[in-house]
Amino acid sequence: MRAHHSGLFITATDTGTGKTTFATHLTRTLRSLQWRVRVRKPVESGCVRGADGQLQPADAVALHRASGALEHLDSVVPYRLEAAISPARAASLEGLTLTIDQLARACRQDVEPGDFLLVEGAGGFYSPLASDGLNADLASHLALPLLILAPDRLGVIGHILLTLEAAARRGLPVAGVVLNRLPDPARPAHLDNLTELSALVGDVPLYSVLTEADMQPLAAALARRFAR
Ligand SMILES: Nc1ncnc2c1ncn2[C@@H]1O[C@H](COP(=O)(O)OP(=O)(O)OP(=O)(O)O)[C@@H](O)[C@H]1O
Ligand SMILES: C[C@H](N)[C@@H](CCCCCC(=O)O)NC(=O)O
Ligand SMILES: [Mg+2]
């Protein structure tokens, strides 16, 4: 299916790599360029139960704020799950059957031509998302270009190459790979993933972020690539 709007599917090589953090910067920047950004985290696991008894979806709340609270939070995150494991298993523990088609419909709901659709997956590109599919399946359904967040640490080169191969297999364009330097006391001397990867990824744009403060200028540069 062809997308009729601009957008990105924010994915990763792993969980906890900076997807939400970067997505909030990107959303704010896109808004400053006059985009109406429809943020979606169609299912969020690891939600903590608040004093009011409701499950609190931290990622979706951050995205919702960044979007200027454009929509009701339930439109951003229609499915909240408690267990901090893959949404596929968390849903099944709660006796829920979530399908990729349901999640795709929730992502597209209310999106109009001219809107920017920003979808954050859960975990990595091949992490199980629904009873019948992975994050990769939702990205394929939505036909959105991928932005891949990856921790800038030892071991990531293999994970990035595998993720790029998986994207290519599905014919999904990759808008970029962001190497995010998360705190890592065990970082080996001489590690230079950016240099090593640049010789291995062909024309896929590679970016490096050393601190969270670096995210803003990168988000601005990426956002400017989406012509209004
Ligand atoms: N460059 C950075 N430097 C320091 N801390 C960072 C950096 N990027 C992200 N973090 C922190 O790392 C943690 C994980 O980031 P984030 O929640 O954005 O990851 P995620 O990929 O969205 O995770 P999930 O798979 O749970 O959705 C957060 O506490 C965030 O503040
Ligand atoms: C609990 C985490 N934060 C995340 C789910 C990560 C699942 C990873 C599964 C895997 O690939 O092994 N949930 C979410 O982003 O909604
Ligand atoms: Mg997140």
Side-chain angles (χ1 to χ4, degrees):
M1 185 175 302
R2 273 181 60 79
H4 66 287
H5 42 66
S6 300
L8 279 177
F9 189 89
I10 314 283
T11 188
T13 53
D14 202 350
T15 185
T17 62
K19 292 185 300 295
T20 305
T21 313
F22 191 73
T24 59
H25 286 287
L26 193 55
T27 299
R28 288 200 173 89
T29 310
L30 286 162
R31 282 177 58 215
S32 75
L33 297 175
Q34 314 307 321
W35 283 99
R36 184 163 68 173
V37 187
R38 303 278 181 183
V39 290
R40 299 285 183 265
K41 172 95 184 182
V43 58
E44 179 161 346
S45 59
C47 297
V48 174
R49 205 167 286 282
D52 59 358
Q54 300 285 309
L55 289 175
Q56 302 302 319
D59 286 15
V61 165
L63 294 170
H64 182 243
R65 271 200 203 114
S67 75
L70 176 66
E71 300 164 276
H72 195 280
L73 184 60
D74 290 342
S75 301
V76 177
V77 59
Y79 303 103
R80 307 175 187 196
L81 303 168
E82 190 160 10
I85 54 177
S86 82
R89 182 162 165 75
S92 120
L93 289 176
E94 295 187 23
L96 265 175
T97 304
L98 289 182
T99 65
I100 292 293
D101 191 59
Q102 274 173 290
L103 298 181
R105 271 188 280 124
C107 287
R108 288 199 201 97
Q109 181 80 37
D110 300 324
V111 179
E112 292 169 22
D115 288 349
F116 193 99
L117 175 60
L118 184 148
V119 180
E120 180 187 340
F125 192 54
Y126 267 13
S127 295
L129 192 64
S131 62
D132 60 349
L134 313 174
N135 277 257
D137 296 303
L138 178 61
S140 297
H141 235 73
L142 295 170
L144 287 174
L146 307 177
L147 186 67
I148 301 168
L149 269 290
D152 189 355
R153 66 176 174 225
L154 185 65
V156 82
I157 295 176
H159 295 159
I160 289 173
L161 295 179
L162 285 167
T163 306
L164 292 176
E165 189 168 301
R169 194 164 159 239
R170 285 161 191 270
L172 288 172
V174 177
V177 175
V178 180
L179 278 169
N180 186 17
R181 186 79 67 91
L182 295 158
D184 177 10
R187 186 179 176 85
H190 309 298
L191 188 73
D192 187 347
N193 289 320
L194 188 66
T195 299
E196 260 194 286
L197 275 162
S198 52
L200 295 166
V201 301
D203 58 4
V204 173
L206 275 180
Y207 306 101
S208 165
V209 160
L210 298 184
T211 65
E212 207 192 308
D214 285 351
M215 286 190 177
Q216 185 49 49
L218 174 57
L222 278 175
R224 280 194 296 271
R225 288 190 2 205
F226 294 95
R228 282 261 46 192

